[in-house]
Amino acid sequence: MSAAPTNEPTFRESVDLMFNRAVSIMDLPPGLEEKIRVCNATYTVRFGVRLRGRIQTFTGYRSVHSEHMEPVKGGIRFAPSVNQDEVEALAALMTYKCALVEAPFGGSKGGLCIDPREFDAHEMEQITRRFAYELAKRDLIHPAQNVPAPDMGTGEREMAWIADQYARMNTTDINARACVTGKPLNAGGIAGRVEATGRGVQYALREFFRDKRDMEQAGMTGSLDGKTVIVQGLGNVGYHAAKFLSEEDGCRITGIIEHDGALFNEEGLSIDAVREWIVKHGGVTGFPDAAHTAEGAAVLEEECDILIPAALEGVINLGNVHRIKASLIIEAANGPITAGADDVLRNKGTVIIPDMYANAGGVTVSYFEWVKNLSHIRFGRMQRRQEEARHELIVSELERLDEMLGDRWSMTPDFKQKYLRGAGELELVRSGLDDTMRIAYQSMREVWHEREDVTDLRTAAYIVAIEKVAAAYRAKGL
Ligand code: NAD
């Protein structure tokens, strides 16, 4: 549920306010600004499923924000709080996100009002298939028109059901698997999709720490190594981001906030141990080796270098923003900071790496999955062994040198093994994701540092994204 106080703008209004701030300093033709901002269409469906001896009615949405490129793309969320305003806000963010990272899609989003914890796997399958049927028969799931993906409350399992449902309804569609992304590997998925959004958060932070000017803005020095991190939500996105940052970049995860409270340990928490505990016990309560606070959101206000909200929207709002101490916030979740809180933080000098960029790793790897499905071949399949054979030539020359030079020179012990291995799908996906995250960050950074009227990364991100959408409309003659 959105934690924003009721006197603040809704999530969709917040996104519009941020959009308006950016367009007010852009030079767009009259009317185009409104065309880009408004949501094209939202489909609401109410359907019944016979469960436990009675018919239960569910409400779902699929919103299409912009079709300047097709297919449109965006996740499907399963949560009790799903509503039209939220789905439309998320669809708008998808438009800007895809433009920013140059994924060739328009923006869309879907949601089903449901608490998945109330149903067993078989019931969830019946509900998901029925929802997918309702959307697919209106082309709101379609490889060329609308391609969903996982979001809060959904994952590989639901995507596999959706893909199968579409395939059953379109038995001769050779591209049926491309109707949805985030599928398991054995059902047409791609290596590295599950970790992609969290991995993208890691790559985003690495890029931030490559530039002294950016660090200075946040009053930081050095690198990610040794930085303290608090993460909210240890689901798909939060878990992977926290795991990679602690295991590969030397960050210390001091706080983890979940739906049933928060854990805090100045020495750092083991992400896998906490995740295992959550899977076993349904929450963080009772986890040993850390202080537990029932009022989880209070831990957002603890001292840390980097704050990673990775659960819900509106969690940093006018009610708590004045107590937020982190000088760098990376929005792994969509919309975790309300427009009002964003103003306060911006004026205070807190650096915010905005959602539309920070969590774009998911859609980026979804794009790779879609391309894989359409090309019907796994990445690397043609080149890998040829690459290895060429590397073999160099290694055998080096081995000859090694012999000739005796004690004077030798190859580093694991060089041969590392160099000989051609890239498999996972390495290629990570490389493509890293490249995408770096290039998109650099495009925001350029606007942020070079335009005097831009003082934050969010406005910079909107400007880059809106310019790209506007260019697509111009190319169409609009
Ligand atoms: P998820 O369902 O896997 O995880 C969400 C986590 O948040 C769960 O562990 C849940 O218990 C926790 N949570 C729920 N209520 C909470 C509360 N009040 N306080 C603290 N934690 C709470 O969802 P996800 O896929 O990780 O998505 C999280 C966010 O990231 C969403 O905003 C989503 O839109 C965004 N996102 C996800 C993806 C993706 O690929 N999955 C891509 C882009 C953006």
Side-chain angles (χ1 to χ4, degrees):
M1 208 171 83
S2 172
T6 45
N7 60 351
E8 285 201 65
T10 66
F11 186 12
R12 192 183 50 74
E13 287 163 352
S14 258
V15 171
D16 285 351
L17 282 169
M18 292 165 181
F19 174 96
N20 290 343
R21 193 170 68 230
V23 291
S24 71
I25 52 171
M26 292 176 74
D27 189 19
L28 292 177
L32 184 56
E33 157 199 334
E34 194 189 355
K35 173 70 204 86
I36 295 176
R37 181 173 37 78
V38 298
C39 179
N40 287 7
T42 300
Y43 172 68
T44 307
V45 59
R46 295 180 188 86
F47 58 90
V49 183
R50 181 173 291 281
L51 299 166
R52 303 173 201 176
R54 61 179 277 263
I55 293 176
Q56 291 202 39
T57 303
F58 297 90
T59 305
Y61 306 91
R62 187 79 184 157
S63 177
V64 175
H65 175 262
S66 174
E67 291 147 294
H68 67 287
M69 283 198 188
E70 282 182 313
V72 293
K73 190 126 195 35
I76 289 185
R77 175 176 284 197
F78 284 2
S81 54
V82 161
N83 60 66
Q84 183 167 346
D85 186 277
E86 175 186 87
V87 174
E88 289 187 357
L90 291 165
L93 280 177
M94 282 307 298
T95 296
Y96 311 135
K97 191 178 304 187
C98 290
L100 182 65
V101 298
E102 299 187 330
F105 304 121
S108 182
K109 201 80 183 192
L112 186 65
C113 306
I114 187 171
D115 184 349
R117 278 177 287 209
E118 286 177 8
F119 299 93
D120 66 27
H122 177 63
E123 291 168 332
M124 282 311 298
E125 179 172 353
Q126 284 176 277
I127 301 162
T128 307
R129 281 184 181 276
R130 184 59 205 271
F131 185 34
Y133 170 80
E134 294 294 336
L135 297 182
K137 76 177 182 194
R138 291 168 180 88
D139 290 340
L140 289 165
I141 295 177
H142 189 286
Q145 291 191 34
N146 198 324
V147 183
D151 194 74
M152 227 163 88
T154 57
E156 288 190 327
R157 184 182 72 163
E158 289 73 19
M159 301 306 116
W161 291 332
I162 293 174
D164 186 63
Q165 186 64 35
Y166 178 88
R168 285 185 192 191
M169 295 165 69
N170 298 275
T171 50
T172 56
D173 184 347
I174 196 173
N175 292 321
R177 282 185 153 180
C179 77
V180 64
T181 58
K183 303 176 293 291
L185 254 184
N186 61 12
I190 193 168
R193 174 59 183 90
V194 176
E195 65 167 44
T197 311
R199 184 64 81 182
V201 170
Q202 176 196 32
Y203 290 161
L205 283 170
R206 284 184 179 174
E207 184 57 27
F208 174 88
F209 279 93
R210 282 193 188 102
D211 195 308
K212 264 196 170 144
R213 291 170 303 172
D214 298 12
M215 281 188 270
E216 271 164 21
Q217 293 268 354
M220 287 181 174
T221 52
S223 65
L224 274 170
D225 194 23
K227 295 285 184 289
T228 54
V229 175
I230 292 178
V231 56
Q232 182 187 41
L234 210 65
N236 178 311
V237 179
Y239 164 71
H240 287 103
K243 179 181 167 70
F244 299 143
L245 287 169
S246 59
E247 289 178 1
E248 297 172 15
D249 295 301
C251 291
R252 196 151 36 98
I253 315 295
T254 51
I256 293 175
I257 306 164
E258 256 296 329
H259 66 93
D260 62 331
L263 301 174
F264 194 82
N265 183 345
E266 198 56 59
E267 302 300 311
L269 292 149
S270 158
I271 300 305
D272 278 326
V274 177
R275 173 79 158 197
E276 271 170 39
W277 186 272
I278 294 175
V279 170
K280 217 165 159 188
H281 304 275
V284 291
T285 312
F287 181 78
D289 312 326
H292 178 266
T293 319
E295 186 36 59
V299 171
L300 289 168
E301 300 161 20
E302 290 290 337
E303 293 279 357
C304 66
D305 295 311
I306 307 169
L307 182 59
I308 312 185
L312 316 163
E313 54 260 22
V315 292
I316 299 176
N317 48 60
L318 289 177
N320 64 358
V321 65
H322 295 282
R323 297 190 297 275
I324 300 290
K325 298 186 192 75
S327 51
L328 175 61
I329 304 177
I330 177 158
E331 295 183 315
N334 283 306
I337 303 178
T338 62
D342 188 62
D343 281 340
V344 174
L345 291 169
R346 199 154 20 90
N347 291 334
K348 198 168 105 180
T350 306
V351 175
I352 299 167
I353 304 182
D355 47 7
M356 102 169 59
Y357 165 73
N359 64 39
V363 73
T364 301
V365 177
S366 274
Y367 167 40
F368 302 155
E369 180 177 335
W370 181 73
V371 171
K372 174 186 179 180
N373 294 151
L374 294 178
S375 56
H376 300 268
I377 188 165
R378 136 174 80 76
F379 287 107
R381 184 164 177 181
M382 304 297 278
Q383 312 89 316
R384 184 174 187 171
R385 303 301 165 192
Q386 198 261 355
E387 211 176 275
E388 286 180 1
R390 287 164 64 90
H391 287 185
E392 184 77 56
L393 287 175
I394 295 184
V395 167
S396 52
E397 284 302 296
L398 287 172
E399 277 174 340
R400 233 162 41 82
L401 250 178
D402 200 343
E403 261 176 42
M404 272 168 54
L405 294 173
D407 288 344
R408 278 186 292 155
W409 182 82
S410 64
M411 274 193 281
T412 320
D414 57 351
F415 168 79
K416 180 174 171 180
Q417 188 205 0
K418 275 193 186 159
Y419 189 68
L420 276 185
R421 250 187 89 219
E425 186 169 80
L426 183 60
E427 284 97 333
L428 291 171
V429 163
R430 286 184 180 159
S431 150
L433 175 61
D434 192 9
D435 184 58
T436 304
M437 295 307 290
R438 288 191 203 206
I439 288 181
Y441 188 94
Q442 287 158 13
S443 65
M444 295 189 299
R445 178 188 279 144
E446 201 179 305
V447 175
W448 184 27
H449 292 311
E450 285 179 15
R451 279 186 64 154
E452 277 189 3
D453 51 356
V454 176
T455 55
D456 66 312
L457 275 168
R458 192 190 309 280
T459 308
Y462 270 98
I463 290 177
V464 175
I466 295 165
E467 262 166 11
K468 291 198 165 133
V469 179
Y473 275 120
R474 271 197 296 272
K476 286 180 170 202
L478 223 130

